Amino acid sequence: MRTAVLENKLIATEQLNREHFQWVHDEGKKGKLHCPICGDPVRFYLGIEKQPHFFHMTKHTNCQEPELPERESTKDEMEYVERNGFKIPVSRTITTVQQQTEFKSPQQVKTAPIFIKETKADLSTSSSYIQTLKEHGFSLDANQMEAVSHMEGALLVLAGAGSGKTRVLTARTAFMIQEKNVDPRSIMLVTFTAKAALEMKNRLKQYPGVNQQQSQSLLAGTFHSIFYRILSFHERNKWSSEKLLKKEWQKEQIIKLGGKELALDEKEFAYDLALQQIGFWKNSLVLPSQIKPETPWEEKVAFLFQFYEQTKREKGLFDFDDMLLGCYQLLQENPSLLESYQKRFRYFLIDEFQDINKVQYELIRMLSSSKNICAVGDDDQSIYSFRGSDPHYLLDFEKDFPNSKLIVLSENYRSSHEIVTTANTIIKKNKERRYKEMHAQFSSERSPVLFFPYDEEEEATMIVQDIQEKIEQGYEPRDFAVLFRTNTSSRAIFERLTNSSLPFKIDQDVEPFYERFIVKGMLSFLRLALNEDDQEAIRSILPVLFVKNNVLQDLKAESILNDCSLLECVSQLKTGFAFQEKKLKKLVPVIRSLHQLSPLTAMEILEKELGYGDFIKKRGNEGNKLDKGSDDVRDLKVAARGFKTILEFLDHVNHMTAMNKEMKNISKTLNNALTLSTIHRSKGLEYKIVYVVSTVDGSLPHDFALDSFRNGDLAPLEEERRLLYVAITRAMEQLYLSVPQKRRSKSAHPSRFLSPVK
């Protein structure tokens, strides 16, 4: 159907302003849309596979739609008045040109070459154990077989996405033990997660001939677990687990003490980002005395780094980064101890080598005197530079390990030919990479799809609609993943899923959108418009007004003594600064003027009248390349746009905050649920159907990478392209890339990374 009745008016899809599609969709969910013929309730379809249309909720005979009336003029169209025989435009100035955004149909990416299944000859081998593996169903292709059986000297295995690197690592370990009679105790298998280490040990026990004792004798684990075991064995008292700072708040507690010496406000200074920077320096083997600050923020963090390390030394404490640094220093300072470990471990297998950082690399180099190191990784999936990871350790492998052998695993066993071709086409634009081209093993005959929602809200609606349709076709919730560049991009899709019946999982560590510092501050002003004695709201706005939080107790007393609201007490504060006191006096009239306004209008007034925008600029999120406070406010405005009153919006915020907490509690117990995840967190996982949201410039690639590129630094932009490559290669059968036309209420442009496939 093309028409429906809304508020006694006939509306048609082709006459609707594009920006109103989501609103009409929501009105339909409220039961406000009706069929113009039979009067039954109808809904407005917003999905990916079909054009927008009205439809009956139940099976219904086709109602004959009425003739459409001529379109009424809207405020966006030109209106005229006749004066002295001339038509004069009255709705806008002559110079104004406003174009209506039209619905853009989804399109497939460039057609991939015809898929031709390669018929591979049965591989013969002189290895009796590899023949045994084959007989037991552990098949290996030619390159995998070579990676498994090459024993002496350094080996770099470039394992592209979905190429079976875990099978190669476990089969190689079994081959060494069974075919070459290598003592399992002389093998070190290093992974980046405890889950990966456990998976490899469990898989190893399934290989023919490998018994429980051999599997347990092998040293397998993460960098941290392996090198901490060495530390605690030799210096048990110094490295007792009781002295480990396990929680972030414990580390923050220490640097906040240092912050007091710099008179840093806890509410204003981003201590979490300072700790991230300190971790980056430590993983890069940079000591406090070696730091040369380039910005005032780095100067503050350098001081906090010095204070943090000194405090830990005095109290005998250590953190996770110290496990690697401590082991590095222990082995450097004790040559005889280093030599004993060099004799003990003769073979090294390193997983995810593209994610290695400087301290990890140096530790492996120190220990591997035998040069029998097998490094497995993919430079096209190096996406953790913020942790100190550097793909150049993989790119320059032959420099540190001369005469090493290179083997490329180029067969992708995960994704369809169409998805693999798209990934290849995008990633080959990177300049800093080793050339490789992945080859798929099957075709789904479905090319990846670009779809074009109006904005973030409509994007989420279209994705949820498409998932529901596919589940009706037989897919399971676990088959789907929705991936995003940063956590803030998940807000709209989280809210749509919360209001649907679909089970979904979210990351336990994600900070809820409405709990973010800048967002919470703005919401607190709105809360005060409804309740001037909201203590939590008062506490949240004090930093915005550059008032210390310790005045809150005095404000409570003043409120009781003078029989006035907390808000009135704040407005009467004497700070000794005329400019600040003038702003405080505006507080009551401005807040009280918001009560009857829409939340969107109220926020715009707060930015203008109370200088919230100035506060964001001054505080910023210093040191954070990804999340800017001004972006948080823009995202909040997008979320508020669909609500008429502040009360409605705050009820929605409270509901979503509660749902976020509930979802985190139940996410661990859900087995058959779709996944919401950042691209970083999705690495190593796979799903039948993947949606990548907001593939537009500014989001993917992120603004910070674009800024670096403009300043002549290409590296961040190339990492962003690798990030998109990782997202694409999570998909097994179907891939959808969302290209919204608006982002944060501004026009958006398709990601430059999509140019080769559009």
Side-chain angles (χ1 to χ4, degrees):
M1 292 176 60
R2 296 180 300 127
T3 58
V5 175
L6 173 62
E7 297 176 351
N8 296 320
K9 291 182 181 178
L10 187 68
I11 59 174
T13 53
E14 60 264 44
Q15 293 181 349
L16 281 174
N17 281 331
R18 183 71 179 83
E19 62 187 287
H20 295 156
F21 278 24
Q22 181 64 48
W23 175 73
V24 173
H25 173 273
D26 293 343
E27 292 297 281
K29 291 188 72 174
K30 295 173 186 175
K32 294 184 178 181
L33 291 177
H34 296 89
C35 175
I37 303 303
C38 67
D40 285 355
V42 295
R43 293 276 183 90
F44 186 52
Y45 176 89
L46 273 179
I48 296 174
E49 300 289 354
K50 304 171 190 172
Q51 294 283 313
H53 61 274
F54 298 102
F55 65 97
H56 288 86
M57 290 296 295
T58 56
K59 287 185 179 179
H60 206 281
T61 57
N62 288 331
C63 295
Q64 178 127 15
E65 296 186 83
E67 289 290 323
L68 294 177
E70 288 189 20
R71 184 176 178 185
E72 298 177 6
S73 63
T74 68
K75 64 179 181 179
D76 291 331
E77 295 177 318
M78 193 72 74
E79 294 177 3
Y80 298 90
V81 63
E82 277 206 25
R83 288 182 188 167
N84 300 322
F86 293 96
K87 279 189 173 182
I88 300 172
V90 295
S91 67
R92 57 178 184 249
T93 63
I94 295 173
T95 55
T96 301
V97 177
Q98 188 160 345
Q99 295 180 339
Q100 182 178 323
T101 308
E102 295 182 355
F103 182 84
K104 188 175 180 181
S105 298
Q107 69 181 60
Q108 294 183 341
V109 302
K110 282 184 180 176
T111 307
I114 294 174
F115 175 70
I116 301 174
K117 175 76 173 175
E118 290 185 27
T119 304
K120 297 176 182 176
D122 193 20
L123 299 170
S124 59
T125 174
S126 59
S127 165
S128 59
Y129 188 69
I130 287 183
Q131 189 61 39
T132 302
L133 290 180
K134 182 180 174 183
E135 292 168 0
H136 282 77
F138 293 91
S139 59
L140 299 168
D141 64 37
N143 291 354
Q144 289 176 334
M145 190 184 297
E146 188 179 9
V148 165
S149 58
H150 178 83
M151 287 297 296
E152 297 304 320
L155 171 66
L156 176 62
V157 180
L158 284 183
S163 62
K165 69 179 179 62
T166 302
R167 168 163 289 198
V168 166
L169 281 167
T170 50
R172 180 180 171 85
T173 305
F175 177 84
M176 291 163 66
I177 295 170
Q178 294 299 310
E179 177 95 358
K180 298 297 182 180
N181 296 316
V182 172
D183 185 347
R185 292 174 300 175
S186 69
I187 302 172
M188 181 187 290
L189 172 57
V190 188
T191 65
F192 268 78
T193 65
K195 182 181 176 182
L198 181 62
E199 180 187 356
M200 288 195 189
K201 275 206 164 189
N202 288 336
R203 281 206 197 183
L204 187 61
K205 287 185 285 188
Q206 298 170 12
Y207 279 83
V210 180
N211 58 44
Q212 180 80 13
Q213 183 179 354
Q214 289 172 322
S215 175
Q216 292 302 318
S217 299
L218 171 77
L219 181 59
T222 64
F223 277 99
H224 287 85
S225 66
I226 289 174
F227 293 112
Y228 177 60
R229 284 169 67 180
I230 293 174
L231 277 176
S232 58
F233 179 79
H234 293 286
E235 297 179 339
R236 188 175 301 276
N237 292 332
K238 182 179 178 181
W239 298 97
S240 166
S241 60
E242 297 173 358
K243 299 175 182 179
L244 173 63
L245 298 169
K246 297 178 182 177
K247 305 291 184 182
E248 285 298 302
W249 66 263
Q250 294 173 307
K251 297 192 283 186
E252 277 197 22
Q253 204 171 41
I254 294 175
I255 65 169
K256 282 178 179 177
L257 290 174
K260 287 182 179 179
E261 295 190 18
L262 295 176
L264 299 178
D265 192 300
E266 285 190 20
K267 291 288 185 181
E268 292 185 32
F269 188 77
Y271 282 102
D272 56 336
L273 302 175
L275 280 172
Q276 183 177 306
Q277 181 63 47
I278 289 170
F280 176 86
W281 281 330
K282 292 174 76 169
N283 287 321
S284 302
L285 286 177
V286 178
L287 302 176
S289 59
Q290 298 171 321
I291 294 169
K292 297 177 181 178
E294 295 181 1
T295 65
W297 183 80
E298 280 195 2
E299 193 173 335
K300 293 170 190 171
V301 179
F303 174 85
L304 296 177
F305 187 13
Q306 180 76 50
F307 183 90
Y308 177 66
E309 294 302 308
Q310 184 177 333
T311 303
K312 286 197 289 105
R313 278 196 302 271
E314 290 171 356
K315 296 185 177 183
L317 303 172
F318 64 96
D319 61 25
F320 284 100
D321 294 328
D322 292 323
M323 294 176 179
L324 302 183
L325 275 172
C327 195
Y328 175 75
Q329 291 164 350
L330 176 70
L331 297 177
Q332 263 201 331
E333 294 165 4
N334 296 274
S336 59
L337 183 63
L338 173 61
E339 186 180 356
S340 68
Y341 277 107
Q342 287 172 337
K343 289 179 179 177
R344 157 81 190 274
F345 295 108
R346 307 300 297 166
Y347 297 92
F348 297 83
L349 295 91
I350 317 296
D351 190 18
E352 304 286 9
F353 197 72
Q354 76 280 349
D355 294 330
I356 206 165
N357 61 38
K358 187 172 179 61
V359 66
Q360 293 164 342
Y361 186 70
E362 293 300 331
L363 276 165
I364 292 298
R365 248 194 353 157
M366 288 169 67
L367 287 170
S368 59
S369 60
S370 64
K371 303 300 181 186
N372 290 326
I373 175 172
C374 172
V376 180
D378 180 9
D379 51 311
D380 289 335
Q381 297 186 70
S382 177
I383 57 173
Y384 293 111
S385 64
F386 62 91
R387 295 181 187 168
S389 300
D390 189 343
H392 282 91
Y393 294 122
L394 185 150
L395 293 170
D396 300 335
F397 187 81
E398 290 91 344
K399 292 180 182 177
D400 289 324
F401 297 94
N403 303 316
S404 58
K405 185 175 181 61
L406 173 67
I407 297 173
V408 180
L409 305 184
S410 57
E411 302 299 321
N412 183 301
Y413 296 95
R414 173 191 299 150
S415 306
S416 71
H417 167 65
E418 294 76 14
I419 291 170
V420 170
T421 301
T422 300
N424 285 338
T425 304
I426 286 173
I427 198 60
K428 71 180 182 181
K429 293 295 182 182
N430 268 7
K431 292 179 172 60
E432 287 282 324
R433 68 184 290 261
R434 288 177 180 264
Y435 175 79
K436 71 187 82 66
E437 186 159 317
M438 302 301 294
H439 305 286
Q441 306 303 302
F442 68 95
S443 170
S444 67
E445 298 183 352
R446 290 181 62 103
S447 293
V449 172
L450 305 174
F451 68 102
F452 307 93
Y454 180 74
D455 62 5
E456 301 95 326
E457 302 298 317
E458 195 176 286
E459 175 182 66
T461 297
M462 294 173 80
I463 290 173
V464 171
Q465 174 66 39
D466 197 66
I467 291 172
Q468 289 171 329
E469 290 172 14
K470 285 178 168 54
I471 287 176
E472 288 175 5
Q473 295 166 10
Y475 282 97
E476 296 285 338
R478 67 169 68 93
D479 296 332
F480 301 90
V482 182
L483 307 181
F484 33 86
R485 174 65 183 86
T486 58
N487 287 317
T488 51
S489 299
S490 67
R491 194 262 321 155
I493 187 71
F494 173 84
E495 294 182 2
R496 292 298 179 284
L497 286 170
T498 297
N499 292 321
S500 76
S501 58
L502 295 172
F504 66 98
K505 295 189 290 188
I506 59 173
D507 189 348
Q508 300 294 309
D509 299 329
V510 172
E511 180 185 28
F513 174 74
Y514 296 113
E515 292 292 308
R516 295 172 70 85
F517 179 77
I518 296 295
V519 172
K520 199 172 181 180
M522 179 63 87
L523 290 172
S524 294
F525 281 111
L526 299 183
R527 294 186 194 282
L528 289 170
L530 304 182
N531 177 11
E532 294 183 11
D533 285 310
D534 188 325
Q535 291 187 24
E536 188 56 39
I538 291 289
R539 190 191 310 275
S540 294
I541 72 164
L542 291 178
V544 180
L545 302 168
F546 300 103
V547 174
K548 299 290 185 183
N549 268 303
N550 56 16
V551 305
L552 188 56
Q553 291 302 323
D554 295 335
L555 291 173
K556 292 178 187 176
E558 285 287 324
S559 175
I560 296 170
L561 288 172
N562 298 324
D563 192 23
C564 61
S565 69
L566 283 173
L567 183 66
E568 289 172 315
C569 291
V570 174
S571 71
Q572 296 163 12
L573 278 172
K574 301 298 179 185
T575 64
F577 299 99
F579 176 79
Q580 188 178 21
E581 289 178 8
K582 182 180 178 181
K583 183 179 287 188
L584 290 173
K585 285 177 182 176
K586 291 173 65 177
L587 200 58
V588 170
V590 170
I591 294 294
R592 287 176 178 170
S593 73
L594 307 179
H595 188 71
Q596 299 299 324
L597 301 177
S598 71
L600 182 58
T601 304
M603 283 189 272
E604 288 171 348
I605 289 173
L606 287 167
E607 283 184 291
K608 182 180 178 181
E609 297 295 330
L610 295 182
Y612 199 72
D614 296 335
F615 162 71
I616 292 172
K617 286 177 185 175
K618 184 168 183 180
R619 179 203 187 260
N621 268 349
E622 291 180 303
N624 190 351
K625 296 175 180 177
L626 294 183
D627 299 318
K628 298 176 183 176
S630 55
D631 291 342
D632 282 351
V633 172
R634 291 190 191 101
D635 287 330
L636 185 61
K637 286 180 178 178
V638 172
R641 201 172 55 211
F643 296 88
K644 294 179 180 178
T645 69
I646 291 174
L647 179 59
E648 286 178 359
F649 181 49
L650 291 178
D651 284 345
H652 170 76
V653 168
N654 294 337
H655 176 57
M656 286 302 126
T657 303
M659 286 302 299
N660 196 289
K661 291 177 182 176
E662 184 179 334
M663 285 308 304
K664 285 188 176 183
N665 290 332
I666 67 174
S667 279
K668 292 180 181 178
T669 63
L670 292 173
N671 292 320
N672 190 10
L674 68 94
T675 298
L676 289 189
S677 173
T678 62
I679 300 171
H680 283 97
R681 291 274 185 173
S682 74
K683 188 166 171 291
L685 303 176
E686 59 186 28
Y687 306 91
K688 289 183 179 179
I689 303 173
V690 168
Y691 304 85
V692 184
V693 307
S694 198
T695 51
V696 294
D697 277 356
S699 175
L700 187 61
H702 197 280
D703 278 325
F704 90 88
L706 295 174
D707 289 340
S708 298
F709 177 63
R710 293 181 194 108
N711 294 324
D713 184 3
L714 185 63
L717 194 66
E718 294 220 334
E719 179 159 331
E720 292 289 296
R721 189 180 277 108
R722 294 196 292 268
L723 201 57
L724 179 57
Y725 175 81
V726 167
I728 289 171
T729 53
R730 299 312 94 201
M732 301 164 69
E733 297 176 7
Q734 296 180 47
L735 172 69
Y736 294 88
L737 302 170
S738 172
V739 186
Q741 298 166 62
K742 296 275 186 179
R743 178 172 177 263
R744 292 173 173 152
S745 299
K746 294 183 178 180
S747 293
H749 302 284
S751 171
R752 62 194 60 202
F753 299 154
L754 298 178
S755 296
V757 298
K758 282 173 62 180

